[in-house]
Structure formats: C-alpha cells, structure tokens
Amino acid sequence: MALLRITKHGETVLKKPSPPVDFEAIKKELPGLLRDMWATMYAAHGVGLAAPQIGLNLRIAVIDVKHEGQSKQLVLINPKILHLEGAQEEEEGCLSIPGLYSKLRRAAKATISALDEEGRPYEASGEGLLARAFQHEIDHLDGKLFIDHLGLAQRLKVARILKDLKKTWN
Ligand code: NI
C-alpha cells in the first residue's frame, strides 16, 4: 500500500477526459491501484478520489461518504450518470484544490451505472452528499473541477484566491 501524491489544479491530467478502461486489461493491477486510492483518500480526509487525482487518466473513482459513521465503499469503474433530479446548494471542496471551498448548486439526487471492483455492472442512487460525490467524481473523469461550474464573477474571485493558495501546495 502506498500513499500517492494528489495532483493539483493546473496540472494537465486533471483537465483531460479519462477514457473508459478495458476491465480485463486492468484486472491484475486493479486491486493494488484501489488499495492505494483508498489509502490516499482516507489519509487526505476525502470522501472521494478519481484516478486523474493520482495522475492517471483512467475512468475509475472511489467514494466513501460514510453513513452514520459506517464506512460504505463504492468503486466506480467506467461510471455514467443515468439520471439527475432536484437541486441542492452546499459548500463543495476538492482534494486537488486544497483550501478552497465554494457554494455550488448540484442535483439533489443522482443515479449512476458503473462496474464494481469485480467487473460486475451495477446501478446506484444517492441523495445529498452521495449525489454530490457522484457528480463531483464523474466530473473529474470528464476533465472538470467543481470550480468550472462557477459563474464568471465567482471565478474571478476564485482565480485571485488560487494564486495565493498555489504557493502553499506541493
Ligand atoms: Ni475533487
């Protein structure tokens, strides 16, 4: 198991859409990769982590928003959003933009399809934080960060904050 460096805003790997993976081709490496992703996510106190955040343009993400203190690990391989419903506006952050938080409107409910760690297709629905995590992590796989959703005025404000924050990142 290894703790991996988390890529930061400004690095190209975060801007590139990640193509779907061929499960059979990655099957052997997958358990080790997932172990490292979980360890890296928990060490950074995140609730989700996408492969571009460890420098890999693979369509893979992990999510654990914890339910009543209990861990509930979800592995998303080649995920797709099937359905979005309603709206929620909450503060959002990202391990690739440490120190920056912003209110962001997202769908309140999200249904996704994906493969699990064994390559089995599944569908999952979530509300609240889980719905937000589905949308946030799948955005990463499409080369998008949460700040890309902000309006122009807020983006200008964020650009100034980012300039200072970047000096503190590694
Ligand atoms: Ni993120």
Side-chain angles (χ1 to χ4, degrees):
M1 187 194 83
L3 290 186
L4 306 171
R5 177 184 170 270
I6 297 178
T7 55
K8 304 296 187 304
H9 174 268
E11 296 180 44
T12 28
V13 68
L14 289 171
K15 300 215 87 175
K16 280 205 287 188
S18 295
V21 297
D22 171 355
F23 186 83
E24 287 304 312
I26 57 151
K27 190 160 89 172
K28 254 181 75 189
E29 274 81 30
L30 191 63
L33 174 69
L34 291 174
R35 257 196 311 276
D36 291 348
M37 286 179 75
W38 285 124
T40 303
M41 186 196 87
Y42 289 124
H45 305 289
V47 297
L49 189 75
Q53 295 184 278
I54 52 160
L56 297 172
N57 275 125
L58 298 173
R59 205 161 178 84
I60 299 174
V62 295
I63 292 175
D64 184 0
V65 297
K66 297 206 170 79
H67 183 66
E68 287 165 0
Q70 289 283 96
S71 214
K72 194 175 183 309
Q73 296 187 330
L74 285 171
V75 171
L76 288 72
I77 298 170
N78 299 340
K80 276 192 201 116
I81 302 249
L82 298 180
H83 185 69
L84 296 174
E85 204 180 306
Q88 56 170 322
E89 194 172 335
E90 298 291 340
E91 194 112 294
E92 196 159 318
C94 178
L95 297 178
S96 291
I97 321 176
L100 185 81
Y101 298 89
S102 184
K103 280 227 167 194
L104 190 67
R105 202 178 155 84
R106 295 271 196 189
K109 204 177 159 192
T111 304
I112 62 131
S113 70
L115 302 179
D116 69 10
E117 62 273 35
E118 309 286 345
R120 293 172 299 218
Y122 72 94
E123 287 184 15
S125 288
E127 293 180 41
L129 182 57
L130 182 56
R132 184 169 287 278
F134 282 151
Q135 294 167 79
H136 181 114
E137 299 313 326
I138 291 173
D139 268 357
H140 272 302
L141 302 179
D142 292 331
K144 265 186 271 171
L145 297 175
F146 79 91
I147 55 173
D148 296 332
H149 293 289
L150 299 174
L152 184 61
Q154 254 189 312
R155 280 173 85 155
L156 288 171
K157 211 168 95 186
V158 159
R160 281 195 294 270
I161 301 170
L162 274 177
K163 235 179 120 192
D164 287 330
L165 273 180
K166 280 192 176 180
K167 295 174 195 152
T168 68
W169 296 347
N170 58 15

